[in-house]
Amino acid sequence: MRVHRSSPSTLLRRDALAKCRYCGELMEYFDRHDHGRIPMVPKALPSARFPVQMRWHILRGIAVPGDGGESRCYVPHPAFCAAVDHPESNNDLAQARAVFRQRFEKRVQQGFIPALRPADEDEVAEQHVEPVEGLRHVIAYASLLWLAPGKVEEIQCVARAWRTGERCRNSVSHDEGTWTEIEIPYTPGRAGQDVLWAGSTMWVYALHTLYPDEFQRWMQQRCAQHVGGAGMGNDVLPPQWVRFRPLAHDEFILRQRPTHVELPPMIDTRVASIALEPERTECAAPDCRNGSVAKVPEGWLCYRCAGIREHRERTHRKWSQGN
């Protein structure tokens, strides 16, 4: 199997099916439009049965929000996973979730052992990511925040080295980003109101200067030698990025500047403003503070002083001619 040359997705469809470790349901993974992955209920369903924010369609192998104007759409598996406590919803969603729960209970009676109960739908969506231990940095790109597989300088390529057949030892990072301080994102809901984060900041590794294809290499978690699609060989394990969620990832928030990060040198703005200010010529009339930044002849008068001088000259000529 191969990925079509016009598709930006590197996900082989045959390898996209998996069973949810929490409820045992079959899921189909798709690459998202924003570089992540999303597990879907593995068949298209009538769009009218689901709210707009729950509808997705597949465009050239990529999952995109909305139904794309079609009568059928895909819906995310986490929204129906029986292991998650879902908020109250409309009647159609309640009936669909009841069917999933009945199948889950029957599966448990038949011997299925579910994993520990997930905290929320995001945890269900990220179950394909291998567990990562140790310190993890937060990566920023555009308006997105991602929790890295480890420290920025220690993020390891996941591609399989064709010479040894083992995981590539190269690093993903080539010092493309910069450390910057941002406000901790606001978390909606009652849980977000209980934390004292108002006005607090965190340090993230910003990749805002990267082109989209360069950032895609980071999201694929590949080094410069293994950048590309399926033709570069398979991965030892899926990329280990997860969406940064302040409440779930509080232990990884860097509230203090990393010790190895140096602040940019301070610039004396007063000297800079004086140096950049255009040259100003003052009016030649005594006690006048008007001036001009345009090029003017020597002895230049401002419009007010020039008018006064002209008026005085006319008066002088008038009296001189009269005498």
Side-chain angles (χ1 to χ4, degrees):
M1 296 184 69
R2 65 182 178 85
V3 176
H4 194 273
R5 62 181 179 274
S6 66
S7 175
S9 172
T10 60
L11 185 64
L12 292 175
R13 302 300 337 132
R14 182 182 60 183
D15 299 329
L17 292 176
K19 286 188 176 181
C20 177
R21 68 176 66 163
Y22 302 108
C23 70
E25 285 288 340
L26 191 65
M27 309 177 298
E28 186 174 9
Y29 274 100
F30 290 91
D31 285 347
R32 289 170 55 116
H33 67 292
D34 53 2
H35 306 289
R37 297 184 74 196
I38 182 170
M40 300 284 192
V41 175
K43 63 178 180 179
L45 300 171
S47 301
R49 294 176 52 188
F50 305 97
V52 175
Q53 64 271 21
M54 199 175 287
R55 303 175 191 171
W56 291 73
H57 68 282
I58 309 304
L59 181 63
R60 294 168 53 193
I62 299 294
V64 182
D67 55 19
E70 302 292 335
S71 60
R72 302 181 74 83
C73 67
Y74 283 86
V75 293
H77 166 79
F80 299 92
C81 181
V84 179
D85 291 329
H86 302 287
E88 295 182 3
S89 56
N90 60 45
N91 189 46
D92 288 338
L93 290 181
Q95 291 180 357
R97 286 168 175 162
V99 172
F100 275 80
R101 179 164 292 279
Q102 291 173 1
R103 298 201 318 223
F104 169 67
E105 294 174 351
K106 182 178 180 180
R107 202 174 289 115
V108 171
Q109 293 175 0
Q110 294 174 347
F112 172 71
I113 301 177
L116 293 177
R117 194 178 186 87
D120 49 29
E121 294 183 8
D122 290 326
E123 191 171 337
V124 176
E126 295 168 352
Q127 61 182 283
H128 66 283
V129 179
E130 296 288 338
V132 180
E133 297 181 354
L135 179 62
R136 306 175 69 176
H137 287 156
V138 179
I139 304 296
Y141 181 75
S143 60
L144 303 177
L145 294 176
W146 296 87
L147 188 64
K151 297 180 180 179
V152 169
E153 61 274 12
E154 297 177 359
I155 302 175
Q156 185 181 352
C157 177
V158 297
R160 189 183 303 276
W162 67 274
R163 290 184 180 274
T164 63
E166 299 179 352
R167 181 177 179 178
C168 174
R169 298 179 180 272
N170 293 338
S171 175
V172 173
S173 174
H174 295 289
D175 298 327
E176 299 99 324
T178 56
W179 285 96
T180 184
E181 190 176 15
I182 65 171
E183 289 190 6
I184 299 177
Y186 169 75
T187 302
R190 179 174 300 176
Q193 297 174 2
D194 292 338
V195 295
L196 302 177
W197 282 344
S200 299
T201 60
M202 60 184 289
W203 285 84
V204 300
Y205 192 70
L207 298 173
H208 303 314
T209 59
L210 294 186
Y211 289 106
D213 57 340
E214 294 174 332
F215 181 69
Q216 180 68 17
R217 178 180 69 81
W218 276 73
M219 289 292 97
Q220 292 175 350
Q221 201 174 330
R222 290 194 170 199
C223 64
Q225 296 181 3
H226 291 108
V227 64
M232 295 299 297
N234 61 333
D235 293 339
V236 175
L237 72 167
Q240 299 161 292
W241 303 92
V242 295
R243 288 295 186 88
F244 174 72
R245 306 192 303 278
L247 291 178
H249 304 138
D250 175 72
E251 60 180 307
F252 302 113
I253 294 178
L254 290 180
R255 291 177 171 82
Q256 301 294 330
R257 175 171 56 90
T259 55
H260 65 283
V261 177
E262 296 182 0
L263 291 175
M266 296 295 293
I267 300 176
D268 191 340
T269 56
R270 294 175 302 173
V271 175
S273 62
I274 294 173
L276 296 177
E277 224 175 52
E279 186 177 354
R280 183 174 182 270
T281 303
E282 289 191 356
C283 177
D287 300 328
C288 180
R289 295 289 180 250
N290 292 338
S292 173
V293 296
K295 188 175 181 180
V296 293
E298 187 177 352
W300 170 82
L301 295 173
C302 68
Y303 74 96
R304 189 182 65 177
C305 294
I308 295 175
R309 181 176 179 177
E310 184 179 355
H311 174 71
R312 287 176 177 175
E313 289 179 349
R314 286 201 307 266
T315 303
H316 177 73
R317 288 194 301 268
K318 176 181 177 181
W319 286 103
S320 297
Q321 293 171 2
N323 292 334

